[in-house]
Amino acid sequence: MKDLRRYLALKYIQYLVLSSSNAVSTLLGLLGSAYTMILLQSAKVSSKSTAVLISSLAQADILVFLSLVSDVVLGSFGAGVSPSGSALARNLLAANAHVSCVLLSCVALEAYLITFLPSQSRPLRTVRNARLISRVIWTLVATECALFLMDDHLRASGASVPSHAPLRLLFQLSSTATDLLRSLSYILGILLRIINVYIYYKIFFSMSPR
């Protein structure tokens, strides 16, 4: 449907074209996600793997709404936004961006398979597989978000390295894993941009009149 294609274009611009989010793109993204979730409940939209991925993409913007709520609620207890509220909001926005980028890349990959390998890829492009992929993505990003929140809490509280060897090792492993994840998420974001540009470049020229 044209509305779903427009929504995907909006999300690609928001997460894979713009260097950083802004109030206008965030508001448009929220409105587009709310409309898409309503649209996907319609009987006119067939239950296909692409629809499942787009539905999960729209649901990811709930994290943006929660980040705004956390800023308001936790910030209302002080003169401004509390450190814990700021960390929570920041990590929710990061989780939203990571989920959205990966799901958009899954949609692009599916479009590539439909264009170039329609019959060979049909057994893979099922609703069940799409739901499984969405669950795996959400689980991984939720784990990442939990690690970031724990690291931010430890840094904000000024916790010192435990004296006991096992606890000290666990503390250092957690800190190292968090720093590595932050670096990998940045690199992954760049790779996803390159992959998406390549996929749609191939699709565009394959459909262009020769």
Side-chain angles (χ1 to χ4, degrees):
M1 294 180 65
K2 290 184 178 180
D3 288 341
L4 294 181
R5 287 197 291 270
R6 293 191 186 102
Y7 173 69
L8 287 175
L10 170 64
K11 284 298 177 180
Y12 276 110
I13 293 172
Q14 182 181 359
Y15 291 108
L16 297 173
V17 176
L18 296 178
S19 58
S20 60
S21 60
N22 55 67
V24 175
S25 64
T26 299
L27 178 60
L28 290 175
L30 287 172
L31 293 175
S33 294
Y35 174 73
T36 299
M37 284 191 284
I38 296 173
L39 184 64
L40 289 172
Q41 303 302 317
S42 171
K44 296 180 180 180
V45 180
S46 58
S47 179
K48 294 183 179 179
S49 55
T50 304
V52 172
L53 295 174
I54 294 175
S55 176
S56 188
L57 174 65
Q59 292 168 11
D61 269 3
I62 294 175
L63 297 175
V64 178
F65 177 75
L66 292 177
S67 72
L68 298 176
V69 171
S70 69
D71 269 344
V72 173
V73 174
L74 297 178
S76 63
F77 291 101
V81 179
S82 64
S84 60
S86 177
L88 178 60
R90 183 175 64 253
N91 282 291
L92 286 173
L93 288 176
N96 165 258
H98 295 169
V99 169
S100 299
C101 287
V102 177
L103 285 171
L104 284 169
S105 298
C106 289
V107 173
L109 177 60
E110 187 170 53
Y112 181 91
L113 293 175
I114 292 172
T115 304
F116 297 102
L117 301 168
S119 58
Q120 300 93 322
S121 64
R122 188 171 291 111
L124 300 175
R125 295 184 287 104
T126 63
V127 171
R128 180 181 179 182
N129 286 342
R131 288 174 178 166
L132 178 61
I133 290 172
S134 297
R135 292 192 190 101
V136 170
I137 293 171
W138 275 98
T139 301
L140 292 176
V141 174
T143 303
E144 176 196 51
C145 187
L147 285 173
F148 287 169
L149 283 172
M150 182 177 66
D151 184 67
D152 287 337
H153 175 72
L154 291 174
R155 292 177 189 272
S157 62
S160 58
V161 179
S163 57
H164 297 288
L167 292 177
R168 183 170 64 251
L169 179 60
L170 182 61
F171 184 92
Q172 292 173 345
L173 285 175
S174 175
S175 179
T176 303
T178 303
D179 292 338
L180 181 61
L181 274 175
R182 294 186 193 277
S183 300
L184 286 177
S185 63
Y186 176 76
I187 296 173
L188 181 61
I190 295 176
L191 288 176
L192 289 180
R193 284 176 170 86
I194 296 173
I195 291 171
N196 278 271
V197 169
Y198 172 77
I199 287 175
Y200 283 110
Y201 169 86
K202 293 285 289 184
I203 292 175
F204 175 78
F205 281 100
S206 70
M207 299 177 67
S208 299
R210 301 182 182 277

